[in-house]
Amino acid sequence: MTMTTIIEILQIIIWPLTVLILVLVARTPILSLIPAIQKIRFQGAEIEFFSGSLQQIKDDISNAPEMSSNTVTPNTNIRKALDLPPAHSVLEVWNALERSARTTVERVLLPDETFKNPLDRPLDYLEFKGALSPTTAIAIRDLRTLRNQIAHSSSSMVRKKEALQYADLATRIINIVDNIVELPRIKLTALTLLILEINHLIDSRKFDDITVDEVYDWIQSEDIIPSLAKRAGGHVDLSIYGDEGPYSTFAKFYHEQMKSLHGGYAGDHTRKWGVENMGLCLLLAWTNQLIQQGSGWYPSEM
């Protein structure tokens, strides 16, 4: 191999070899820069995600009567929070929301409450008790998710504009929470879950033979839930309304309200609800009627 050949070979490999040596020597510093590079690349996307999520929450609650007030004044805790950097503002706004919920729970807490740690989870408690509308409960869960993302991410993913929007949404919820004066007698969830079970039975087409008269008999004897569980055994789960279930007191309330409807509308089901044939359809319509007759999120006394 001539000297000329050796020189040509060295010219070919010298730069790749130099780069390889530099990478090996500076491996740790270069690797440490990768998260920063990724953050620079995705920072805009993070901000847009946060802003987009806030807009989605705002859109979701825009038609909710309890959130419709255009003039909402932030309380002292919210105003103090907004003096902080944006990310810290979001965290402190959430804390202010939880403090308001805790104060409300202390005011309405039942003496024989079995819910675990209601003061540690005041917002969960109010939702569980049915004191919050579904729209409000969903908005709270979404705000909690955004708060958790801020707590475990870069502070640069939220700007002052987003912090103000977050505070506005939280303030509207605080206004609702502060105005809760008592817990509902029965949670709306108990009715909506029952509606889902009845709807499932209708869709199965296996119980089309349950007549309107049969349902009337169940209502008059105040035995709707046990009779339905027995009639559709294996196809419906109504255990949550049993003695050991979370809604053990619901059955008595439900039977009383349905019997009251029977007293006022028995025989008028076709004209008023358009039900002609299927007993389950009547049961579905009247259960829905109980929700419609409620005052706010409280069932009517009737």
Side-chain angles (χ1 to χ4, degrees), residues 236-287:
V236 67
D237 182 7
L238 302 177
S239 59
I240 60 173
Y241 307 108
D243 293 339
E244 302 300 321
Y247 304 134
S248 57
T249 61
F250 172 76
K252 183 176 185 298
F253 167 85
Y254 179 65
H255 291 147
E256 289 174 352
Q257 305 306 305
M258 293 291 278
K259 193 169 184 178
S260 180
L261 279 177
H262 180 275
Y265 300 106
D268 202 20
H269 48 272
T270 301
R271 182 188 65 82
K272 189 167 179 62
W273 287 280
V275 175
E276 295 186 33
N277 304 303
M278 294 174 57
L280 287 180
C281 288
L282 176 67
L283 202 56
L284 184 68
W286 280 18
T287 303

Side-chain angles (χ1 to χ4, degrees), residues 71-92:
T71 304
V72 180
T73 303
N75 65 21
T76 302
N77 291 326
I78 296 289
R79 288 195 295 269
K80 288 181 179 178
L82 291 175
D83 291 334
L84 300 171
H88 292 134
S89 290
V90 170
L91 299 180
E92 283 304 310

